[in-house]
């Protein structure tokens, strides 16, 4: 009887992780080996404030969840101690926080992840983390869109000033 309860508890855990993999916009897998308790606590705090769920999970449980979520390409990075961050609201925030933390703490290593249902490797994850925020990208776009209008207005103003000087 106890064995059936344990099996059911493990299946429930796999179902929860499968749901998180399917519902997350981005998922980041990292190796946390070498971080001390205070560093992990600080990392968890930063991620929690950003709305990211961070867990340390067994690789066997993760492999079963990736199979259920049809993300078996992620299994290649599920070796050694594995921490996983799930973000349901922002595709970049988990990667950005973990990448910034890894720059300050050599013990944390990004392994790979999933962004919008596509498995990516550590290099792609780092490139994603280096992108400006959504607001930064929107302000860059707005600046690019305003440039022709601004230049036209300056040209009209210069012509008008030249006409005033001539008269």
């Amino acid at each position: 009887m106890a064995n059936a309860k344990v099996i059911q508890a493990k299946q429930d855990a796999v179902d929860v992780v499968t749901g998180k993999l399917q519902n997350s916009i981005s998922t980041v897998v990292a190796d946390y080996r070498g971080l001390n308790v205070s560093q992990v606590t600080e990392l968890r705090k930063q991620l929690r404030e950003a709305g990211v769920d961070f867990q340390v999970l067994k690789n066997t449980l993760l492999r079963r969840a990736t199979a259920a979520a049809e993300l078996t390409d992620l299994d290649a990075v599920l070796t050694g101690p594995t921490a996983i961050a799930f973000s349901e609201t922002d595709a970049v925030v988990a990667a950005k926080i973990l990448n910034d933390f890894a720059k300050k703490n050599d013990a944390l290593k990004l392994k790979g992840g999933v962004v919008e249902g596509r498995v990516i490797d550590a290099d792609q994850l780092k490139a994603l983390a280096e992108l400006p925020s959504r607001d930064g990208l929107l302000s860059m776009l707005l600046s690019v869109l305003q440039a022709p209008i601004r230049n036209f207005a300056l040209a009209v103003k210069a012509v008008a000033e030249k006409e005033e000087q001539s008269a």
Side-chain angles (χ1 to χ4, degrees):
M1 209 42 125
N3 197 17
K5 288 181 182 178
V6 171
I7 291 172
Q8 185 59 44
K10 287 182 179 182
Q11 185 57 48
D12 292 344
V14 169
D15 292 343
V16 168
V17 174
T18 301
K20 287 182 180 185
L21 282 168
Q22 291 170 335
N23 296 329
S24 296
I25 293 174
S26 72
T27 303
V28 179
V29 179
D31 182 347
Y32 65 95
R33 187 179 6 202
L35 292 178
N36 61 36
V37 173
S38 64
Q39 290 170 323
V40 172
T41 302
E42 175 60 27
L43 178 59
R44 284 183 187 273
K45 180 179 176 255
Q46 289 177 21
L47 290 165
R48 191 176 327 106
E49 288 171 355
V52 177
D53 183 20
F54 183 74
Q55 298 178 348
V56 174
L57 298 169
K58 291 187 173 194
N59 290 328
T60 53
L61 183 141
L62 280 170
R63 282 190 191 97
R64 289 178 189 219
T66 58
E70 298 178 358
L71 294 168
T72 54
D73 292 343
L74 191 62
D75 291 352
V77 298
L78 299 179
T79 57
T82 301
I84 190 162
F86 301 99
S87 176
E88 294 184 4
T89 57
D90 189 342
V92 180
V93 70
K96 190 173 284 294
I97 291 171
L98 286 165
N99 188 50
D100 290 346
F101 196 85
K103 286 179 182 176
K104 297 173 191 163
N105 301 283
D106 292 337
L108 184 69
K109 304 278 189 261
L110 299 181
K111 293 181 177 182
V114 180
V115 177
E116 296 180 348
R118 190 173 144 247
V119 176
I120 60 174
D121 63 17
D123 293 333
Q124 292 170 318
L125 199 58
K126 289 175 184 174
L128 177 69
E130 298 296 328
L131 286 175
S133 67
R134 181 179 188 276
D135 292 337
L137 288 171
L138 288 175
S139 69
M140 286 178 187
L141 176 63
L142 183 61
S143 175
V144 167
L145 292 175
Q146 286 180 339
I149 296 168
R150 187 178 328 110
N151 292 342
F152 178 73
L154 290 172
V156 169
K157 181 180 175 187
V159 168
E161 288 175 356
K162 186 175 182 183
E163 291 292 325
E164 285 180 13
Q165 289 176 356
S166 299

